[in-house]
Amino acid sequence: MNLSDLRYLISDMDGVLWRGETAVPHLPTFFQTLDAHHIQFVLATNNASKTPAQYVAKLAKFGIAVQPHQIMTSALATAGYLASHAPHAKIYMVGGDGLREALTAEGLTILPRTERDDTADVVVVGLTAEVTYTDMANATIHIRRGARFIGCNPDATFPSEYGQLPGNGSLLALIQTATSVTPTVIGKPGPIMFHECLRRLGPSATPANTAMLGDRLNTDILGAQGVGLPTILVLSGVDTAVELALSTHQPDFVFNDVAALADAIRNEQGTMNKRPLVNASQ
Ligand SMILES: [Mg+2]
């Protein structure tokens, strides 16, 4: 794909649009460039605990106006997947408001958190800071009785001011150990969330005109390549030029940040050339 062919963008958020509570430089210019070039986008995150409204509010603080339907979380992708594959399932969920709201919006049936007698058809696990041993025990009971096991995302850890803390993948590992059942995982780098994003963008979005933009080689880039999408890596987040040089997952385009990507879109640079455009001094 040539950058001048870009009409649709699936973009990661953390490490691409912001770091913590700070927007990356020239973020409004990036979104203005997408608008000026009629590039439609979905902003996608593996985080299952927040709602689209919370992301809309966060972007508004940075001066960016997006609509809730332009946000895709692994909770929404999970709900979309269940609505099309198991619309009448009784669901036992472990998770926060973001997951509950997403499942409810699709009209799915959620069993009470204390339910042990009525057997669930599906157990869905998304990270919440309020998770308890009883939640884990109930999820185990349902899965051992035959419920399907679905995880919103596979992230083993997530960063905090104290270092890495257990993420949803760690909860999945606990339940997998207790049940010997491997979960179906919806979020990146698996294919399901990418397919939900493409569905959201509409039937005109194809690998000829749609790219994935992210900061992590082993989720954003690897996952997008798995569904045949061209990829754009920015070095403003997790992975640096060092990781890039060592990685077997090479993106189609590399930029220092979205400001540099915006420049390239405006100039229609970075075309056809599969070699990284990065300044190696970073
Ligand atoms: Mg990221």
Side-chain angles (χ1 to χ4, degrees):
M1 192 191 74
N2 185 313
L3 276 188
S4 60
D5 299 326
L6 188 64
R7 288 293 166 267
Y8 301 92
L9 193 63
I10 302 168
S11 179
D12 180 49
M13 291 191 270
D14 196 13
V16 175
L17 307 182
W18 59 69
R19 280 166 297 207
E21 295 305 313
T22 308
V24 299
H26 308 296
L27 186 63
T29 306
F30 171 64
F31 281 95
Q32 286 158 12
T33 302
L34 296 182
D35 279 351
H37 292 261
H38 308 292
I39 296 168
Q40 295 180 46
F41 59 86
V42 168
L43 307 178
T45 175
N46 263 4
N47 190 322
S49 63
K50 289 188 180 160
T51 66
Q54 288 173 301
Y55 285 104
V56 169
K58 180 161 187 169
L59 283 155
K61 277 196 307 185
F62 300 144
I64 314 294
V66 303
Q67 302 298 315
H69 74 265
Q70 293 176 298
I71 305 290
M72 176 64 73
T73 69
S74 66
L76 291 164
T78 299
Y81 175 81
L82 287 172
S84 55
H85 288 81
H88 306 298
K90 286 182 289 187
I91 297 169
Y92 185 81
M93 66 156 265
V94 178
D97 290 345
L99 182 57
R100 179 173 298 278
E101 190 177 289
L103 296 174
T104 304
E106 292 285 0
L108 295 159
T109 303
I110 305 172
L111 294 176
R113 188 173 178 179
T114 53
E115 185 64 61
R116 288 186 168 182
D117 298 322
D118 190 8
T119 297
D121 302 303
V122 178
V123 169
V124 178
V125 178
L127 184 65
T128 168
E130 277 76 50
V131 69
T132 66
Y133 179 82
T134 304
D135 296 330
M136 297 283 95
N138 290 348
T140 298
I141 288 166
H142 289 294
I143 293 166
R144 290 187 71 98
R145 283 186 193 147
R148 213 173 144 198
F149 180 19
I150 294 192
C152 291
N153 73 73
D155 304 355
T157 62
F158 66 93
S160 81
E161 60 190 310
Y162 301 103
Q164 297 293 313
L165 300 180
N168 196 51
S170 296
L171 299 186
L172 299 182
L174 186 156
I175 296 168
Q176 184 170 349
T177 300
T179 60
S180 301
V181 174
T182 305
T184 298
V185 179
I186 303 297
K188 298 175 284 186
I192 296 170
M193 192 154 95
F194 290 99
H195 288 137
E196 290 294 321
C197 288
L198 286 167
R199 205 155 65 107
R200 185 75 66 87
L201 289 169
S204 300
T206 71
N209 59 20
T210 309
M212 173 68 200
L213 167 63
D215 69 310
R216 293 179 75 126
L217 290 158
N218 63 4
T219 56
D220 302 319
I221 304 306
L222 175 66
Q225 288 174 343
V227 297
L229 287 175
T231 55
I232 306 169
L233 181 76
V234 285
L235 300 176
S236 52
V238 169
D239 283 325
T240 67
V242 175
E243 277 96 16
L244 176 62
L246 296 172
S247 177
T248 52
H249 319 305
Q250 290 295 312
D252 296 286
F253 303 96
V254 181
F255 298 97
N256 280 329
D257 55 25
V258 291
L261 171 59
D263 287 343
I265 290 171
R266 280 194 300 274
N267 299 327
E268 296 187 345
Q269 287 182 357
T271 60
M272 309 303 272
N273 186 347
K274 299 273 179 181
R275 291 178 54 217
L277 301 172
V278 60
N279 174 353
S281 66
Q282 169 125 356

